[in-house]
Amino acid sequence: MFPGTAAVELGGQRVLFHRSPRGRPGTPRGSSRVLAPRLCRPSHRRLIISSTAYRLSSLTNPRVVRHNISRARFPIRSVHSDVTPAVLTDPQLDLLQDLLHAYPSADGLPGAADVSKVTMSSGEKGPNFDVVAMQFPNPFRKALEAMQQRDTRLLLVHLDRLCKMDEHDLHDAMAKLPRTTFTEFLRSLDPLHVAEVCDPTDKAYVSVGMFKMLNLESSIDEWGVRKLYTKLLGQMLVLVKALKASGQVLYVDDYTYLLRCAGAASDPTGAKWIWQEMDRTRSQHWRHSQSYLEFLSARFLARFLYTGYDKSRRIVSPANLHLSRFTLGFRRVTKLHRLRINHRRRRLRFGLNKDVTDHAKELMRYMRTIGPTFRLLNTITRGGAQLDKELLCAVMISFGRVGALRFIGDQLIRKYFGIRISMSALSGIEDNLDEPRFMRVGVGSMIPDDLFMKTVVEIYGSNGEIGLAYELIDFVSKSYGIPIPLSVWQELLEWTEVHSAPPASTAWKMAGMFSKIPVNEAVEMLWNIMKSEPHNIVPGFDQYAMLIQSLLGRRDLPRALPLMREAIRFYEAHWQEFESAVFEYVQSERDGVRISEPLFRYKSAKFTLERMWYEIRRWCRMFLLKVRPLNFDPDISAFIEEFRLFIPNPTQYRTASGYVELHDPAWERAVIRPGRTTEVYLVVKRRHVHQDFRKVRWQAVTVSSRHSLAAIHGSPRLQEMSPDPMALLYGERTEKKGRATIRKTMTRYEPTTETVDNDSDYI
């Protein structure tokens, strides 16, 4: 048994200096032949860490929290305990010897995450967790118990209470907490894991119309960001402040989870601040490939989660490429600014930079310069960090955000993957038909896989090069024998649809870059290739949605109608899953057991069902708006009877003599209530004026219907909703008018028809 006498911080890592007992004379500091050579080394240089002396800030704004962290610096001293020194058991001593053998130098010391993994796998039982947990206040103790049970949903509930503790109590509890436990605490709050088990809207794109119709203000803020991650970022920063107030610093692996949380909150400025915090604490030399990967992903929003799965926020528009990749004329720039102003009225604050307060600025404008990307790449290559495939793909996406397509093809894809892209493919001009567009050059250090395909589609799809993206992944699939997965096909279909429709297609036209606009049949062509040999992909609801939307936009109603009937089968199949989730939740509620898992399953099934309902409702609305008697004259009454669950009430369509409006008083009608008015200022270009601002105003609305998800996502235990399974299945909307309560439910469908003349106000 050997006593541990001192601990010292080295670049974010806490190293235990072991003082062995006296041994034979002549053997330095004892008889251990393994520990002696390392214990006799010269003392390591002392580093500097930060501390905090400020109060805790509100959780609503993570920037207030991170800017209140003190910059006061003091040298680290060896921490000696006044109590009896801890005792190292024999297995722990063996572990220490193995670590010293595996990492002979100080620069090769393992991170906190690696040490914790080895300790957990050693099978050695540490002190009683219940005895240790009793030393902390009740919120802290409950959070530790939830972390031990690996219940992330319960951990988030107790984390909210923990961060509301008194500042002094929180600092005392953090000082008593073992340092490795804090790292495990942050690992349990990893946003990539939280998204899978706590976010019902994960992997789903929420448009502005869906945001209004389904009443998602309780889960998504006005910038289009999930409130779960914004709140989690503020809570993690509060814990970091308490940790630094206790005289400790963050490990290099701790910054990984902070960067991921900043990325999930769509906060590239916050990610940059966290990255610079490593410089302020003098721990930048401990950065490794994973650290650079997380910073690149958060700084340039490389992961789909970081932009809310919204491709309109990741488009490299011609306005962003102006003055960085090429120069446009003044008239073209003026038209692009006018288009941006008109489009902003429909987009609310979605996709705007939160850090810019005096005017509205898109997030993509923040990352349109190529200088930061080049500096990061030089730091990675010259600093000795391992450039693995995942990090290289993140670097490629960061260069794709600034439109550096030739640099990606010549310096990255050709150098590391051994694939040469011809200049004719990059320029879009077939000047040499004999030259192959793609060619394998030598053997690259990396082999393309599914990650490479997704990266290629993201880079070239965001820049409007849909044809080049498909040709490259098809070449990789045939050359390396890799099948193209369904997720890659979905990305191709979505990018094609985005660039085929306004405002993206209008912007490319105004810039005079017509080659960036896909042909009208591009989505249908990709659909046919996907279903044919040798791919044989079975499409799902999302793939049907892309094709139906493309056909309706081209007014190809006869071909869109059969596809709409096929897509409803997915809705009916998911309805059965939703019923199963409802009955499981109601049964667990009545039995009084833990309901976190059944509740989350119910929320996810409900959101997916309502999202599919909204998409089909939008198809029906577009179908009725584009019906023309001379081109296609279907039986509208039969169409409404077939799709009456998705038809808006009231609805109207066009006939040869005017418009027909249908209204059913027995059917539910969504109630739209006006909300507050929002004003923003957009920067516009004018002659002889360096910078001018244009005011844009819109009014928020609240839609009340039985499809609203406000009560489901706003209450953690559905306290406002009835436990009746029928009410959970079919929903209900109650309106209070005075003392009377009106309950809206579904009844039989008996439409009333009213013909409006051509001279009416409906035209």
Side-chain angles (χ1 to χ4, degrees):
M1 311 295 264
F2 301 93
T5 57
V8 67
E9 296 284 350
L10 295 175
Q13 305 291 338
R14 173 158 292 189
V15 182
L16 180 67
F17 277 81
H18 170 71
R19 186 186 299 273
S20 59
R22 297 178 182 178
R24 298 194 310 265
T27 303
R29 305 190 69 92
S31 59
S32 175
R33 298 182 179 179
V34 179
L35 299 177
R38 293 164 177 81
L39 292 176
C40 292
R41 286 184 176 179
S43 59
H44 298 275
R45 60 172 181 170
R46 303 179 183 271
L47 301 180
I48 295 178
I49 62 172
S50 301
S51 179
T52 180
Y54 289 89
R55 60 178 178 84
L56 297 179
S57 301
S58 174
L59 298 180
T60 56
N61 191 356
R63 290 161 188 78
V64 179
V65 181
R66 70 174 184 243
H67 288 299
N68 284 343
I69 297 180
S70 174
R71 306 290 178 83
R73 299 178 178 178
F74 54 90
I76 295 182
R77 301 179 299 272
S78 297
V79 182
H80 296 272
S81 178
D82 296 331
V83 299
T84 304
V87 177
L88 295 180
T89 61
D90 294 336
Q92 291 175 349
L93 179 61
D94 296 338
L95 172 63
L96 181 59
Q97 293 176 352
D98 294 339
L99 292 176
L100 292 176
H101 276 296
Y103 303 89
S105 62
D107 295 335
L109 286 174
D114 302 330
V115 175
S116 61
K117 293 179 181 178
V118 176
T119 305
M120 293 174 61
S121 62
S122 62
E124 175 66 16
K125 293 184 179 180
N128 190 354
F129 182 84
D130 298 333
V131 176
V132 177
M134 291 300 295
Q135 303 176 4
F136 300 96
N138 186 43
F140 223 116
R141 183 170 64 254
K142 294 293 185 181
L144 292 177
E145 292 175 356
M147 183 185 67
Q148 185 193 27
Q149 299 170 2
R150 301 183 183 275
D151 192 342
T152 308
R153 306 180 192 95
L154 186 61
L155 177 60
L156 290 177
V157 175
H158 294 301
L159 178 64
D160 189 22
R161 302 172 184 174
L162 186 150
C163 293
K164 295 179 182 178
M165 291 173 53
D166 183 69
E167 180 180 358
H168 181 71
D169 297 339
L170 182 59
H171 291 179
D172 291 344
M174 193 63 66
K176 299 177 183 178
L177 186 70
R179 186 58 188 83
T180 55
T181 305
F182 183 81
T183 301
E184 292 293 336
F185 201 84
L186 294 183
R187 183 182 293 108
S188 302
L189 299 175
D190 186 0
L192 301 183
H193 174 67
V194 171
E196 297 178 357
V197 299
C198 300
D199 187 9
T201 64
D202 186 34
K203 294 182 175 58
Y205 160 57
V206 179
S207 62
V208 178
M210 186 186 302
F211 172 77
K212 296 178 181 179
M213 188 66 195
L214 301 184
N215 203 2
L216 292 172
E217 290 85 353
S218 58
S219 57
I220 299 177
D221 59 14
E222 58 181 344
W223 284 277
V225 182
R226 271 73 167 173
K227 292 183 178 180
L228 172 64
Y229 309 115
T230 305
K231 184 177 181 181
L232 181 60
L233 177 60
Q235 293 171 342
M236 294 177 73
L237 291 178
V238 167
L239 296 179
V240 170
K241 288 177 56 181
L243 177 74
K244 300 181 71 174
S246 63
Q248 305 180 69
V249 295
L250 290 172
Y251 292 160
V252 65
D253 295 320
D254 298 339
Y255 289 98
T256 298
Y257 310 111
L258 291 175
L259 290 172
R260 287 179 181 176
C261 198
S266 294
D267 191 0
T269 306
K272 184 178 179 180
W273 184 91
I274 294 172
W275 186 256
Q276 293 174 351
E277 182 69 12
M278 300 181 70
D279 298 332
R280 290 187 286 267
T281 57
R282 305 290 180 87
S283 57
Q284 68 273 12
H285 57 279
W286 290 93
R287 293 168 179 166
H288 46 73
S289 300
Q290 188 67 24
S291 304
Y292 286 105
L293 169 63
E294 298 304 333
F295 176 65
L296 278 170
S297 301
R299 171 65 173 80
F300 298 97
L301 305 178
R303 290 192 174 99
F304 299 157
L305 172 65
Y306 296 171
T307 56
Y309 305 94
D310 186 2
K311 287 182 171 50
S312 61
R313 306 182 200 178
R314 308 197 300 265
I315 291 181
V316 184
S317 62
N320 294 341
L321 297 177
H322 173 57
L323 297 180
S324 61
R325 311 305 298 176
F326 49 76
T327 303
L328 296 174
F330 179 79
R331 291 186 178 181
R332 296 185 185 274
V333 175
T334 304
K335 292 181 180 180
L336 290 175
H337 282 293
R338 191 177 305 164
L339 174 66
R340 185 166 56 94
I341 292 173
N342 296 334
H343 185 58
R344 178 49 55 187
R345 293 189 177 95
R346 306 176 184 177
R347 292 280 299 170
L348 305 182
R349 292 182 183 268
F350 280 40
L352 294 181
N353 193 348
K354 301 179 184 179
D355 290 310
V356 181
T357 56
D358 56 344
H359 65 279
K361 185 177 182 180
E362 287 79 6
L363 274 174
M364 290 297 295
R365 301 282 295 179
Y366 179 73
M367 55 192 73
R368 70 190 189 100
T369 56
I370 200 171
T373 310
F374 266 121
R375 288 193 294 268
L376 273 173
L377 180 60
N378 293 334
T379 303
I380 293 172
T381 54
R382 296 178 181 178
Q386 181 182 1
L387 190 62
D388 54 4
K389 186 181 299 184
E390 192 173 2
L391 178 57
L392 179 60
C393 290
V395 172
M396 292 168 57
I397 292 178
S398 63
F399 278 102
R401 294 286 186 258
V402 298
L405 301 183
R406 291 191 178 183
F407 179 83
I408 295 173
D410 294 340
Q411 302 297 329
L412 299 180
I413 296 180
R414 181 174 181 175
K415 180 179 180 181
Y416 293 98
F417 293 97
I419 301 176
R420 186 180 69 87
I421 305 176
S422 64
M423 296 300 297
S424 60
L426 290 173
S427 60
I429 302 175
E430 297 290 347
D431 52 354
N432 189 0
L433 299 179
D434 297 333
E435 180 185 8
R437 297 171 65 87
F438 307 100
M439 181 186 301
R440 295 182 61 176
V441 182
V443 179
S445 59
M446 302 179 187
I447 300 177
D449 56 357
D450 297 350
L451 178 61
F452 175 76
M453 291 184 179
K454 293 180 182 179
T455 304
V456 166
V457 174
E458 175 68 17
I459 294 171
Y460 294 103
S462 60
N463 285 271
E465 300 289 344
I466 306 298
L468 179 59
Y470 166 71
E471 291 179 0
L472 182 54
I473 64 172
D474 183 65
F475 172 79
V476 170
S477 177
K478 294 178 180 178
S479 301
Y480 294 90
I482 305 173
I484 303 177
L486 179 61
S487 59
V488 176
W489 287 110
Q490 178 64 21
E491 292 295 317
L492 273 174
L493 291 172
E494 290 181 0
W495 278 120
T496 306
E497 178 61 26
V498 166
H499 287 281
S500 300
S505 60
T506 307
W508 294 122
K509 289 179 182 178
M510 291 180 176
M513 307 176 69
F514 297 95
S515 62
K516 301 280 188 178
I517 305 175
V519 296
N520 296 333
E521 298 81 8
V523 176
E524 186 177 359
M525 292 167 58
L526 288 174
W527 170 276
N528 296 331
I529 296 174
M530 178 184 65
K531 293 184 61 178
S532 61
E533 294 287 345
H535 306 290
N536 295 327
I537 298 295
V538 179
F541 180 82
D542 295 332
Q543 290 75 44
Y544 273 96
M546 291 295 102
L547 181 59
I548 292 173
Q549 185 173 346
S550 176
L551 293 176
L552 292 176
R554 295 157 44 194
R555 297 182 182 273
D556 197 348
L557 305 184
R559 300 180 59 188
L561 186 57
L563 294 174
M564 293 173 61
R565 295 190 177 101
E566 296 179 12
I568 288 184
R569 299 176 183 175
F570 295 96
Y571 179 83
E572 297 173 351
H574 187 74
W575 179 267
Q576 299 178 0
E577 300 180 6
F578 175 64
E579 287 181 345
S580 176
V582 167
F583 292 135
E584 180 184 359
Y585 165 69
V586 173
Q587 186 64 34
S588 63
E589 179 74 14
R590 293 178 179 178
D591 295 342
V593 298
R594 191 181 68 170
I595 63 171
S596 60
E597 295 181 3
L599 176 59
F600 177 72
R601 184 188 173 194
Y602 164 72
K603 287 184 176 182
S604 301
K606 178 66 175 177
F607 171 77
T608 305
L609 187 72
E610 298 302 339
R611 183 178 69 89
M612 297 171 70
W613 171 84
Y614 173 80
E615 292 292 339
I616 300 175
R617 179 183 182 274
R618 191 162 61 93
W619 302 341
C620 296
R621 184 172 177 270
M622 292 178 62
F623 187 92
L624 294 176
L625 289 177
K626 295 182 179 297
V627 166
R628 296 294 183 268
L630 299 179
N631 299 332
F632 179 59
D633 190 10
D635 189 356
I636 299 297
S637 60
F639 174 82
I640 293 177
E641 181 66 24
E642 181 180 1
F643 296 91
R644 66 173 188 170
L645 182 62
F646 313 98
I647 298 295
N649 184 30
T651 187
Q652 64 176 224
Y653 62 94
R654 187 173 181 176
T655 63
S657 58
Y659 285 86
V660 175
E661 182 175 277
L662 302 177
H663 173 66
D664 186 1
W667 196 265
E668 180 198 21
R669 180 173 182 175
V671 179
I672 302 177
R673 299 183 179 88
R676 61 185 179 89
T677 302
T678 305
E679 294 181 356
V680 297
Y681 292 88
L682 297 178
V683 179
V684 297
K685 296 290 185 180
R686 294 183 180 179
R687 289 189 180 275
H688 310 296
V689 178
H690 176 67
Q691 194 174 21
D692 197 4
F693 295 94
R694 175 76 176 272
K695 181 190 297 185
V696 178
R697 179 185 304 174
W698 65 80
Q699 188 176 21
V701 296
T702 302
V703 181
S704 177
S705 68
R706 66 185 183 89
H707 298 279
S708 175
L709 300 176
I712 296 178
H713 290 177
S715 174
R717 289 182 176 266
L718 297 181
Q719 296 176 356
E720 295 86 351
M721 297 194 66
S722 171
D724 183 11
M726 301 306 295
L728 296 179
L729 281 173
Y730 299 103
E732 58 184 11
R733 174 172 57 87
T734 58
E735 295 183 5
K736 292 185 178 180
K737 297 182 178 180
R739 296 184 178 180
T741 301
I742 304 175
R743 191 176 298 270
K744 303 291 184 178
T745 57
M746 287 179 55
T747 57
R748 52 190 188 91
Y749 184 78
E750 295 179 357
T752 58
T753 305
E754 178 184 358
T755 304
V756 185
D757 193 68
N758 274 329
D759 297 333
S760 66
D761 296 335
Y762 289 97
I763 301 178

